[in-house]
């Protein structure tokens, strides 16, 4: 049952192909060309300057240059539903013929007829059902292979583009700019670690060992030739949301980041923890206030409420009180997607 | 209660000072001068050659060059007891006046009078008692500070040297040689991750984010100024022994190593998992067969049995069957410690 590395590399090329438009060029005189001039862009440029200039009192040693990025809603689109959940929905459709009992579950039935409205109203219980039904009890490599095939072909329901093209060009520019200045860029996602690792290199230029996410326990087994492989189990080992993000950053890295980017209440503690690093730090939150080019949701600042990626007024107030920067998609971003000219 | 990074850096300099003798110079014409010529040395040199020569069919891409090292008994002395346990014993002594009930526990009583024989006979239950009594329910940074102070001053009971000098010079040479050839070297220890991270940079040149070990759950709390910090709890999150080593390597890195070094049955699965990487790999086990210069224990090959770092005959037989290399301390290592001329 185990999928070989060679097989995984084949579909990985397909992801790189659909994601090619997301790669961004940055001019030497402006490392952030998709950003309008303003407070947000200045905050990034100033942070890099004060932490990397040798003469700066806030100089940060190269080994301590760590920047963490939430994924869903921060580096790519999370509406109408998290990509991983849409992947699971596609798995439900594939597996449905073997599970006649699913046709009596209203939520799974909604998924099967591609009802995005029904999908957006999913409860936690629904999400657990779908997760249990589609993502567990298989070798890690088999799960990776399913994700790869999906990522190379599935398209976003509104924008009709493959998911690797749903990344925000301004955030790719920030990641590249930080890396050019000696920062290591980590994805720290509430989503599944094994899911994101499948495409993190192709989509973000982030290697698998710089992806921290929610994770299931695995089990160590042997195939018929006595070769060991790991199988996903049903037990959640890491819930990488809220305080889990701070705890898992400590678990994986043993040090605090100097920069953190998020967009929802699930990122609050990661930003607080980052600010406690001592010395200069940068904390940024993406506010989705652009219904025309992307989506508009909060409920902070009177934006519509949402089940996916909630940005509360309390988080907005904390950001203002602590000197974090709130990025307005509408006014800070000249361009959102690489293909969106 | 939180210890600042600045305070931690102070004692870290003290560890570097006592460990200074462990740093090794390697000549350009012989990257492994402490190794006698033979099968073991040749296995290392051959592995590096075939995985890094561009023309080699077994060439490994730089991003996939990962080597993992068990710590206790593989990179430094683990007899008569694991260093972390001796650290805990020193904590028991410090805390004893506040815990009169400990004086009725035979094991803790043995610790208090420095009875190494009693310590070596510790049961799992004893170890849990000592761990619970001394290592938990404190901020991560406070624990790190205690370890730092201990590492800078404590001495090995037989060799009367600070612990940073108890590392094996031949293994430091291998780590440096691998790094010079583009490998990232990870410590993958059954010991506590937070313990090893305190000195990994000074002793091994390994940064905190390349230390994978057993780990406790942490709790996210705020100090009186509203600043967040992490507190160690009593719950074991990762038991990084046996199959745990393979699982945690996947959890942290998302890929298999190409080289793995161990010395006991706790390393079996890490070596098996490494061998399954596809392409060239190197698996090595240190056999402690030198009672004069270090210790002699197995019970493999008729060596005395041990409670600490057991190397069974079954593991020895697996090594021979699978083409792993067993390092004989006695005949493969010209020199064991940097100070041992």
């Amino acid at each position: 049952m185990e999928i070989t590395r060679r097989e995984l590399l084949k579909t990985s090329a397909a992801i790189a192909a659909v994601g090619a438009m997301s790669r961004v060029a940055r001019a030497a005189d402006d490392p952030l060309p998709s950003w309008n001039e303003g407070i947000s862009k200045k905050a990034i440029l100033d942070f890099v300057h004060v932490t990397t200039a040798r003469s700066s009192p806030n100089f940060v040693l190269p080994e301590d240059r760590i920047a963490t990025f939430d994924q869903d809603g921060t580096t790519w689109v999370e509406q109408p539903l998290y990509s991983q959940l849409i992947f699971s929905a596609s798995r439900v459709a594939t597996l449905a013929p073997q599970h006649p009992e699913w046709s009596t579950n209203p939520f799974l039935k909604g998924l099967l007829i591609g009802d995005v409205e029904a999908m957006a109203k999913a409860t936690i219980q629904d999400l657990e059902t779908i997760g249990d039904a589609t993502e567990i009890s298989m070798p890690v490599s088999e799960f990776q292979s399913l994700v790869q095939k999906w990522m190379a072909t599935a398209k976003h329901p509104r924008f009709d583009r493959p998911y690797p093209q749903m990344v925000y060009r301004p955030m790719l520019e920030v990641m590249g700019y930080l890396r050019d200045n000696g920062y290591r860029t980590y994805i720290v996602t509430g989503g599944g670690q094994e899911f994101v690792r499948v495409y993190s290199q192709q989509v973000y230029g982030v290697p698998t060992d710089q992806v921290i996410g929610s994770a299931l326990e695995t089990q160590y087994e042997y195939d018929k030739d006595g070769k060991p492989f790991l199988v996903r189990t049903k037990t959640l080992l890491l819930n990488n949301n809220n305080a889990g993000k701070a705890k898992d950053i400590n678990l994986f890295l043993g040090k605090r980041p100097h920069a953190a980017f998020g967009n929802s209440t699930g990122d609050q503690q990661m930003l607080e923890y980052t600010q406690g690093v001592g010395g200069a730090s940068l904390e940024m939150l993406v506010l989705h206030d652009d219904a025309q080019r992307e989506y508009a949701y909060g409920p902070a600042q009177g934006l519509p409420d949402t089940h996916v990626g909630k940005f509360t007024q309390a988080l907005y107030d904390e950001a203002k009180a602590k000197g974090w920067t709130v990025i307005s998609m509408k006014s800070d971003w000249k361009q959102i997607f690489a293909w969106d000219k």
Side-chain angles (χ1 to χ4, degrees), chain A:
Chain A
M1 281 294 272
E2 214 204 357
I3 311 294
T4 65
R5 189 167 157 74
R6 192 175 298 274
E7 290 172 277
L8 287 176
L9 283 174
K10 269 195 296 187
T11 42
S12 129
I15 295 178
V18 296
M21 289 187 67
S22 302
R23 281 192 288 277
V24 296
R26 283 165 293 111
D29 59 340
D30 183 0
L32 304 172
S34 300
W35 292 71
N36 288 315
E37 300 305 319
I39 291 169
S40 295
K41 181 172 182 172
K42 187 170 182 309
I44 300 165
L45 297 173
D46 286 353
F47 167 76
V48 168
H49 179 70
V50 303
T51 58
T52 59
R54 274 273 164 202
S55 60
S56 166
N58 285 309
F59 178 77
V60 174
L61 290 170
E63 61 265 33
D64 291 332
R65 291 186 198 163
I66 291 167
T68 55
F69 293 79
D70 167 60
Q71 177 184 245
D72 296 301
T74 299
T75 59
W76 77 354
V77 174
E78 65 183 341
Q79 296 284 356
L81 264 190
Y82 302 121
S83 310
Q84 188 169 0
L85 202 55
I86 300 183
F87 159 74
S88 295
S90 81
R91 291 289 301 155
V92 166
T94 305
L95 298 172
Q98 302 156 43
H99 294 271
E101 76 279 12
W102 289 356
S103 62
T104 58
N105 175 320
F107 171 66
L108 293 177
K109 206 171 146 188
L111 282 183
L112 291 174
I113 58 169
D115 181 352
V116 172
E117 289 300 309
M119 287 156 73
K121 285 179 195 144
T123 64
I124 292 292
Q125 179 57 49
D126 287 335
L127 302 188
E128 282 179 2
T129 305
I130 192 178
D132 288 356
T134 60
E135 293 190 11
I136 58 157
S137 299
M138 64 171 78
V140 168
S141 59
E142 188 184 336
F143 175 73
Q144 289 169 336
S145 172
L146 291 172
V147 176
Q148 277 198 338
K149 285 172 191 155
W150 182 82
M151 283 291 295
T153 53
K155 292 188 175 175
H156 187 276
R158 171 174 160 196
F159 295 101
D160 198 33
R161 295 267 177 176
Y163 286 91
Q165 293 180 23
M166 300 314 299
V167 291
Y168 306 135
R169 184 184 159 125
M171 294 307 270
L172 290 180
E173 289 174 359
V174 173
M175 294 175 105
Y177 178 50
L178 286 168
R179 288 196 291 261
D180 288 349
N181 284 280
Y183 277 86
R184 274 173 296 153
T185 53
Y186 283 78
I187 300 283
V188 178
T189 176
Q193 178 169 283
E194 294 284 12
F195 184 86
V196 178
R197 281 178 169 173
V198 167
Y199 56 83
S200 61
Q201 183 67 51
Q202 287 85 4
V203 172
Y204 300 115
V206 170
T208 57
D209 53 290
Q210 290 176 17
V211 175
I212 301 172
S214 294
L216 299 174
E217 291 252 22
T218 54
Q219 196 167 305
Y220 186 82
E221 296 187 5
Y222 297 95
D223 69 13
K224 58 176 171 34
D225 301 320
K227 289 190 181 153
F229 64 101
L230 296 174
V231 174
R232 292 159 68 85
T233 75
K234 202 170 162 161
T235 309
L236 187 65
L237 177 66
L238 302 178
N239 180 359
N240 196 49
N241 283 294
N242 305 103
K245 291 202 175 189
K247 294 187 224 177
D248 296 340
I249 287 170
N250 177 61
L251 181 71
F252 279 69
L253 305 182
K255 53 178 73 167
R256 298 196 194 210
H258 277 269
F261 299 77
N263 78 301
S264 79
T265 49
D267 302 312
Q268 179 200 347
Q269 290 88 344
M270 177 167 77
L271 269 62
E272 292 172 350
Y273 190 67
T274 298
Q275 193 161 30
V277 70
S281 66
L282 177 67
E283 296 78 22
M284 302 192 91
L285 287 168
V286 177
L287 184 67
H288 294 259
D289 56 359
D290 193 334
Q292 201 184 338
R293 294 189 300 169
E294 203 245 7
Y295 292 92
Y297 53 102
Q301 300 301 91
L303 292 163
D305 203 356
T306 173
H307 286 291
V308 172
K310 201 181 279 280
F311 189 145
T312 61
Q313 190 60 41
L315 179 63
Y316 189 92
D317 295 341
E318 180 178 8
K320 292 294 164 186
K322 292 187 171 165
W324 303 349
T325 307
V326 175
I327 298 165
S328 160
M329 278 186 115
K330 192 169 183 172
S331 52
D332 282 329
W333 289 359
K334 203 177 290 180
Q335 189 181 349
I336 293 185
F337 303 109
W339 45 266
D340 177 27
K341 282 284 180 191

